[in-house]
């Protein structure tokens, strides 16, 4: 991960937000290459969901919505994590992410400054790992009581107890943690000029609820019949207690979500069939399996093979109360397998809640079944930022390649699938001090530019230019040399096409180049 984080900064994929002011934890900016990669991911997802299907339409909803939406969805009352604070450093942790520890716990009933007579009766405790001396506990406890105004504390009431698998102590310093308490993850703001409870609003913690709130409007205009889907790509915000693992868990992130509305089983009759041939009469279980497989195939289409993925079928005791099943698709990051996307069978909970809270019917009249019902939903929900990080981790490779003098050296190469690579092709004149080569190279650049992202580079030795493009993941390099200009008449108006992964070079006619490259990058 250190190498990957370094490359992201060095090559302009990802920057720390507000870096010149020391940064702000949990927020990230995408540089020139990161912005292109992110756009390509979203374009590929959107195309697969809407343009390649007849049964999904799109939505682009506002980030701030009526606060009643979050009451209906349950976010204002239940969208919280258990939080604990270190009593010494005030550092905050999610209670369910504190690693269990073993050791000797030292308990104190207070401390007193003999010189001033000042005393604290606040109880405190420190956990010392096996093999460490009691002095380390006393040092931490002394710091704790000094923070409470006891300049030279003498510790009172020391008591010792062996503990195992305890999550009550800070793993970093052994200090006692506060009792867990709920911490709502939504960012609160105000709509209008007056900051009052009447004007409270929230930055959305997910994009899904807007789809449910607009369900009836979309049904009225989109000429779709159940089963059909509404998808959206958009920003979401969660005030995470402990953002971590680079961009994986952030406070501002982007989601790609589909709500696929289906018939209730009692209307659909729960018919089964070929998982690759979706049927309107399928029940929720068949649709759920279908969308899990659809999503895996899409990941394969952008370069994540099944071997890099893992699957977590949530057990009944972990499911949301309204969910029938949830399968998480995980990517095997260097820091462990973590979720990229969850595919949940959510029943009709969301639409029913919005019907209840808004007083507006969310029922759908099924002309074929001649009945009304509130549709059920299958929800594939993916994180753009997590996927981008997975693609960067997956693309990172080191191999050996010859330098300009033929000596083998380590080559860093980002093996992005051409479909999502930030730059599709780089164009190089062999020498920048030959105007005829430069003119021809720029003409080739202009020929390709309407069809794909092109990078033009004439600075430095050709080998170093190749290496720079390998490191940012450009799949193809086009070199204009003297043969292009007709030094060998049979090679007039041909170029050298270099493959990033194999480093093999072939001669290609300029007139055939756009079609050839388009076939490789789509």
């Amino acid at each position: 991960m250190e190498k990957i984080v370094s490359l992201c900064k060095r090559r302009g994929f990802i920057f720390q937000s507000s870096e010149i002011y020391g940064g702000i934890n949990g927020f990230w900016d995408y540089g020139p290459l990161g912005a292109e990669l992110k756009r390509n991911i979203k374009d590929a997802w959107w195309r697969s969901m809407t343009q390649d299907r007849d049964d999904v339409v799109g939505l682009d909803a506002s980030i701030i919505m009526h606060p009643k939406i979050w009451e209906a969805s349950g976010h204002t009352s239940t969208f919280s994590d258990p939080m604990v604070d270190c009593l010494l450093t005030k550092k905050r942790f999610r209670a369910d992410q504190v690693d269990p520890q073993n050791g000797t716990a030292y308990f104190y009933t207070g401390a007193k400054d003999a010189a001033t007579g000042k005393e604290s009766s606040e109880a405190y405790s420190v956990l010392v790992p096996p093999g460490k001396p009691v002095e380390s506990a006393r040092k931490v406890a002394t710091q704790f009581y000094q923070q409470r105004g006891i300049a030279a504390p003498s510790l009172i009431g020391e008591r010792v107890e062996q503990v195992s698998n305890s999550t009550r102590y800070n793993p970093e310093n052994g200090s006692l943690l506060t009792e867990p308490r709920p911490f709502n993850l939504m960012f609160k703001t105000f709509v209008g000029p007056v900051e009052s409870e009447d004007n409270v609003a929230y930055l959305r913690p997910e994009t899904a609820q807007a789809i449910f709130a607009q369900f009836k409007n979309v049904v009225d205009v989109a000429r779709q019949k159940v089963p059909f889907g509404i998808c959206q790509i958009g920003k979401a915000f969660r005030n995470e207690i402990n953002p971590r693992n680079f961009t994986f868990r952030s406070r501002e992130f982007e989601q790609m979500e589909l709500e696929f509305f289906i018939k209730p089983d009692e209307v659909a009759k729960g018919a089964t069939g070929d998982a690759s041939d979706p049927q309107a009469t399928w029940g929720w279980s068949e649709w759920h399996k279908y969308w899990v497989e659809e999503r895996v195939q899409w990941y394969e289409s952008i370069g994540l093979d099944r071997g890099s993925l893992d699957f977590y079928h949530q057990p009944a005791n972990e499911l949301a109360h309204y969910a029938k099943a949830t399968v998480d698709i995980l990517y095997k990051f260097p820091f462990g397998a973590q979720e990229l996307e969850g595919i949940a069978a959510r029943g009709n909970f969301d639409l029913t809640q919005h019907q209840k809270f808004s007083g507006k019917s969310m029922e759908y009249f099924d002309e074929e079944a001649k009945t009304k019902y509130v549709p059920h939903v299958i929800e594939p929900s993916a994180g753009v930022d997590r996927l981008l990080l997975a693609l960067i981790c997956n693309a990172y490779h080191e191999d050996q390649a010859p330098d300009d003098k033929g000596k083998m050296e380590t080559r860093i190469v980002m093996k992005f699938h051409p479909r999502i690579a930030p730059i599709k092709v780089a164009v190089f004149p062999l020498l920048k001090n030959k105007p005829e080569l430069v003119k021809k190279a720029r003409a080739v650049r202009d020929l390709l530019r309407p069809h794909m992202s092109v990078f033009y580079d004439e600075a430095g030795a050709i080998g170093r230019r190749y290496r720079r493009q390998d490191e940012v993941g450009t799949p193809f390099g086009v070199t204009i040399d003297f043969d292009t200009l007709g030094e060998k008449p049979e090679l007039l108006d041909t170029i050298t096409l270099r493959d990033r992964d194999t480093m093999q070079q072939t001669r290609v006619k300029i007139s055939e180049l756009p079609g050839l490259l388009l076939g490789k990058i789509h």
Side-chain angles (χ1 to χ4, degrees), residues 286-299 306 311 313 326-329 341-344 378 380:
E286 293 297 316
W287 276 117
H288 190 240
K289 293 173 189 173
Y290 167 82
W291 276 111
V292 171
E293 179 60 23
E294 281 289 296
R295 299 306 303 133
V296 173
Q297 289 183 18
W298 183 78
Y299 285 119
R306 287 178 191 250
F311 301 89
H313 297 256
T326 297
V327 174
D328 295 333
I329 300 176
E341 175 166 356
I343 299 98
I378 306 295

Side-chain angles (χ1 to χ4, degrees), residues 35 94 121 157 182 245 273 293 354 370 373 456 495:
R94 268 181 54 175
S121 59
N245 289 333
E293 179 60 23
H354 288 300
K370 303 297 186 222
Y373 53 78
Y456 177 84
I495 52 83

Side-chain angles (χ1 to χ4, degrees), residues 87-152:
L87 286 171
L88 182 67
T89 64
K90 306 299 185 289
K91 184 173 179 179
R92 186 161 286 172
F93 301 87
R94 268 181 54 175
D96 58 349
Q97 292 176 350
V98 176
D99 293 330
Q101 300 167 81
N102 304 320
T104 305
Y106 291 83
F107 295 86
Y108 303 93
T109 57
K112 185 174 182 179
D113 188 329
T116 64
K118 193 168 183 180
E119 186 174 348
S120 171
S121 59
E122 186 175 348
Y124 186 59
S125 178
V126 184
L127 181 66
V128 176
K132 285 194 104 179
V134 62
E135 283 75 18
S136 62
R138 292 170 181 164
K139 180 180 178 182
V140 172
T142 296
Q143 293 173 344
F144 171 79
Y145 288 111
Q146 284 174 335
Q147 289 181 359
R148 278 140 187 84
I150 314 299

